[in-house]
Amino acid sequence: MTGFLLRRLLLAVPTLLGVSAVVFATVALVPGDPVTAFLGPGAPAEARQALAERIGLDRPLPVRYLDWLGHALTGDLGTSTSTQRPVTALLLPALGDTLTLTAAAFALVLAGGVLLGTLGALRPRGWWGRLCSAASTLAVSAPQYSVALLLIAVFAVHWQLLPAGGTHDAFGSGGGSGDLLRHLLLPATAAALVPLGLTARVHRAALSAVLDGDLADGLRARGLGRAAVLRHCAHNASPALLTIGGLQLAYLLEGVVFVETLFAWPGLGRLLYDALTARDLPLIQGGVLIVGAAFVGINLLVDAAHALIDPRVRG
C-alpha cells in the first residue's frame, strides 16, 4: 500500500506542474488588458507602462511563469491587482466557504445517490425502481441555473421559508450553525442535483450487476438473510461508487461558480467571477491553481480508498 501511494504521489508532481503551466498560459492569453481594466481606457501611456512594469506584464511569458511558479511553491501567489491585497489572503477565506458548500452538496449527493440507486437495484421492475429511475433521470437533465432560480422563486420569494443568499442573516442573531444550515439548503440542493442523478444511476448499475451475479447466488445458498446479502453485494459494488463519487466531488468543487453567484455565496467561484470581471490575473491564476490542485488531491484520495477496498488495484 505504501509503494502504491508513493507511485501515485510521484505521478501527481508532473500533473500539478502541467496544471500550473496550462493555468498560467490560458489566463495570460485570455483576450483583454488588465492594465486597461485597472486604469481605464483613457489612462496616459506613461501610467500604463509604469503599471505594466510594476506587475511584470512587460516580461516574456516563460519568464513570468517561472517567476510565478517559484513564488507559488513558497505559498506566495502574488498580489491582487484589483484590491492590492495578497492573493492568498483573499483565496483562503473564500476556499473555506466553498468547501463548506461543497461538503453539504456532496452529503446530499451520497445520501440521495445511494438511496435511489439501492432502491432501484432491489426493485428494478417494480414501481419503486421505475420511480427511482425517473428521479435520477430528472436530476441529471435539470439545468442547474434554472433549478437555482426556481428554488429561489419558490422557497425564498413565494413561500419565504429559506433565505435567498449569503451565509447568515444580516439582522438578528445570525452566525450560528442553524442559521448557516438554513442558508446552505438552497445552494447545496441546486449544486447537488446533477451529481446526485449520475451517482444514483452508476450505483444502481453496479449493485444490480452484483445482485444478479454468482456472488449473490452463493450467499443466498449459504442461508444468509436479505440484509446480509445486500451488505456483501454493496461492498463489492463500492469501487464504482468511489469512482463516481470522487468525480462528482471534483465536479462540485469546480462547478459551483454559478451557484455561488446566484446565491451570493462568498466562495471561491464568486471570487473568481469578480476577478474575471476586473481582469485580476494574479487572483484568477491563484484561484484556478488551487482548484486544479484540489482536483488532483481528490483523485489521489479516491485511488487510495479504491486500493484499500480492492487489493488487486495495488499491483
Side-chain angles (χ1 to χ4, degrees):
M1 187 67 188
T2 303
F4 174 81
L5 291 177
L6 286 176
R7 290 195 300 270
R8 286 294 185 270
L9 286 173
L10 290 176
L11 287 174
V13 173
T15 302
L16 285 173
L17 288 175
V19 167
S20 68
V22 171
V23 166
F24 189 90
T26 303
V27 173
L29 296 176
V30 168
D33 183 9
V35 175
T36 301
F38 187 75
L39 295 178
E46 295 80 5
R48 295 173 58 85
Q49 181 64 26
L51 180 60
E53 292 177 358
R54 185 161 66 89
I55 62 180
L57 292 179
D58 60 325
R59 295 178 295 168
L61 184 62
V63 176
R64 287 157 49 194
Y65 167 69
L66 292 176
D67 181 63
W68 175 76
L69 180 62
H71 285 85
L73 291 175
T74 65
D76 179 14
L77 296 175
T79 302
S80 167
T81 58
S82 60
T83 64
Q84 297 302 304
R85 293 180 58 193
V87 169
T88 306
L90 296 172
L91 289 177
L92 290 181
L95 179 61
D97 288 326
T98 292
L99 290 177
T100 300
L101 177 57
T102 301
F106 190 61
L108 293 177
V109 169
L110 282 184
V114 171
L115 178 62
L116 289 178
T118 302
L119 291 176
L122 290 176
R123 292 285 186 268
R125 297 176 182 84
W127 67 272
W128 263 115
R130 298 176 187 275
L131 181 62
C132 293
S133 178
S136 60
T137 302
L138 179 62
V140 172
S141 306
Q144 188 182 68
Y145 191 88
S146 301
V147 169
L149 292 177
L150 181 63
L151 290 175
I152 292 174
V154 174
F155 292 96
V157 177
H158 183 65
W159 288 342
Q160 297 182 358
L161 295 175
L162 295 170
T167 58
H168 62 274
D169 289 335
F171 305 100
S173 58
S177 57
D179 186 38
L180 178 62
L181 181 61
R182 290 179 61 249
H183 286 79
L184 267 174
L185 281 176
L186 291 186
T189 302
L193 276 181
V194 173
L196 189 154
L198 290 172
T199 302
R201 298 181 72 167
V202 171
H203 181 59
R204 174 177 178 169
L207 186 57
S208 295
V210 179
L211 287 172
D212 294 336
D214 296 334
L215 173 65
D217 292 337
L219 293 173
R220 296 187 188 100
R222 291 169 54 189
L224 270 70
R226 187 174 182 181
V229 171
L230 178 60
R231 184 174 65 252
H232 286 285
C233 290
H235 181 272
N236 273 43
S238 59
L241 181 62
L242 271 176
T243 302
I244 190 64
L247 290 174
Q248 299 315 307
L249 178 58
Y251 166 82
L252 285 171
L253 190 60
E254 296 179 352
V256 294
V257 177
F258 290 118
V259 173
E260 289 184 351
T261 303
L262 284 172
F263 289 95
W265 188 266
L268 193 59
R270 188 182 176 197
L271 183 66
L272 289 178
Y273 176 82
D274 294 337
L276 282 168
T277 304
R279 290 290 300 160
D280 192 338
L281 294 186
L283 187 54
I284 298 170
Q285 290 162 346
V288 177
L289 178 65
I290 286 181
V291 172
F295 189 90
V296 174
I298 289 171
N299 283 329
L300 281 174
L301 291 176
V302 171
D303 288 342
H306 199 171
L308 284 173
I309 293 175
D310 190 354
R312 296 172 298 178
V313 177
R314 306 173 196 172

